[in-house]
Amino acid sequence: MKSIHRWALAALAVTAAARPLPAAAPPAEGEVVAVSLVSAPGRAELVINTRGMVNVRDFTLSNPHRVVLDIAGATLATAAQPIYDGVARAGIVNVRVRQYTPTTVRVVLELDRPRAYQVEREDEGVHVTLGADETFLAWSTGVPPRPLPAEAASVRIPDDRQMPTVARSIGPSMQQRAEPRITVSWDGAEISDVVSGFAALSGRTIILGKGVSGSVTAEIRDKPWSQAFQAILAAQGLSAQEMSGGIIRVDDPGQLAAIDSLEPLETRVVRINYARAGEIAHSVKGVMSKGRGEVLTDTASNSLILTDTKSRIQTVEDFAKGLDIRTPQVSIQAKIIFVDRTDIEQLGLKYDLGSRNQFFNKLVQRPDPFGEPGETYNPNVNIIDLGGNAVSAIANADATISGSAIDLVFSTALGGFSLTSFLSALERVELSDIQAEPVITTLDNKEADILVGEEVPVRIIDYSTGTAGGGAAGAPRATVQFKETGIRLTVTPHVTSNRQVLMSLRTERSAVKPLASADLGFSIDKQMTTNQLLVADGETAVIGGLTVTTVNRARNGVPLLSSLPLIGGLFSFTDNRENRKDLIILVTPRIVDDGAQIGGN
């Protein structure tokens, strides 16, 4: 039985590594023999090595962003078919090469964002050039892809106690496209034979612990080997742990924990450049060995002091360095436009009709014959003639126009009466145009606040303190408070992986306005917006727009006479006011510094 299973596992390793080839194509003149991605100063080059006469056609696709090259008149050599290793190089996250048609080979570059590129045809093949700010290790279809280092891959899993190390060695983002897939069934196979088969399939060194035994009965259909391996170990009550050097050991979880407890500890100091050591210490602690690992922070040097087992210390150190990324900076420019326009039209007529012996002394002041020379009657004194028939009248006596532009008086005699007319008129236009452009620069995910204005002292009168002890009247107590007014911008930006800016934004414009010349208090005119929005780099967005129009019309006058057509205005006071306020708020974010890790690792 054991020999049969060994033969099946050996066949499994060969079958899982193979990939179905495209249908047989008719003979073509050219051939694609290799595809390579290499680094050059300031650029990245994709080199497609060809033989024979071929034609090249290129175009782009979006969602995701891709550059597609069709090599017409060519077939794909077997050596040019290995799968891309999944490492992001100069914004290239994947390279796919396949026989698209019997006479066309298609090469697809998946990019993290739209990028400029240039295609050149040379004797040895086709060169595709893209701009690059960093160097990287070359990749080529001529050699098998290297597995991702365990310490780098472990950064992708927040809690290494949740998944065996063998499942982390390639990383979740690559498992579906880089791992060999298996289809196999076991019927009472020894666990040692099953582990040997996985070792042969994956190319990894897997050591089975002493005393581990058991039989495996299971069936797996087209699954990545690491997932299948994890499932088999879980069913047997076993765990896998990766040692330094990449060797995987399989044993009982308690036995692995006992071995770890005997492993000597090592301490390292990691200098943090961009982040604050205290901010990332909690995240680093989550990946350390439970019960043995310890992390301390040194605020003077902004460093982390890491203590863990020798097999884990390098993984923890790399994890801490991976969190210390260069944070991008964002410049936020807001434009606040506020226009306040007020139109005022006021017109009114007053009339005073009286005689020498009877009159109202409210509008026209008559001289007092019994007083000093030039002295007039008190305005509140009305003179009535009790010795005969007389009439007196005033119209619109209490209607006034404050700050009138013109005052006209007309007086005439009507028999024994005098008629005096008072005309007041005013037309005024008030315009306030305020434009503010606050600009502020801050780090990604950090709140920034800017205030351009002043602190205005506001006098507050407390009339409840206006009486002293014993009931005597006293002066009310006055206090002074300071109110912040002006233009304020508060923003927290976040740069997304596709170079957009997500902002939590608050804009405010305020001004103190006294209610009256007396101590009657103040009102604060305020225009404010609070919102969140997603804007592309350098794009201007309207985050607020408001128009308020207020129309007030008042009319008072002599009953009946003020309602007459055409001449009704001669017996009334009219007050027409129209106020219009327009508010527009614009915002433009710009990414000043992309940082080192925008788009993720």
Side-chain angles (χ1 to χ4, degrees), residues 354-361 366 377 381-384 392:
S355 65
R356 181 180 299 274
N357 299 320
Q358 180 173 300
F359 54 85
F360 290 95
N361 198 46
R366 270 76 171 185
Y377 284 104
V381 173
N382 299 319
I383 304 301
I384 302 175
S392 299

Side-chain angles (χ1 to χ4, degrees), residues 34-39 45-49 79-87 89 92 94-97 107-109 136-146:
V35 178
S36 305
L37 185 59
V38 297
S39 177
E45 290 189 2
L46 180 76
V47 182
I48 305 174
N49 297 106
Q81 296 186 23
I83 300 175
Y84 187 64
D85 60 2
V87 177
R89 295 175 170 88
I92 301 173
N94 192 17
V95 180
R96 300 199 303 269
V97 185
V107 180
V108 180
L109 298 179
F136 53 84
L137 295 177
W139 172 85
S140 175
T141 58
V143 295
R146 295 191 306 170

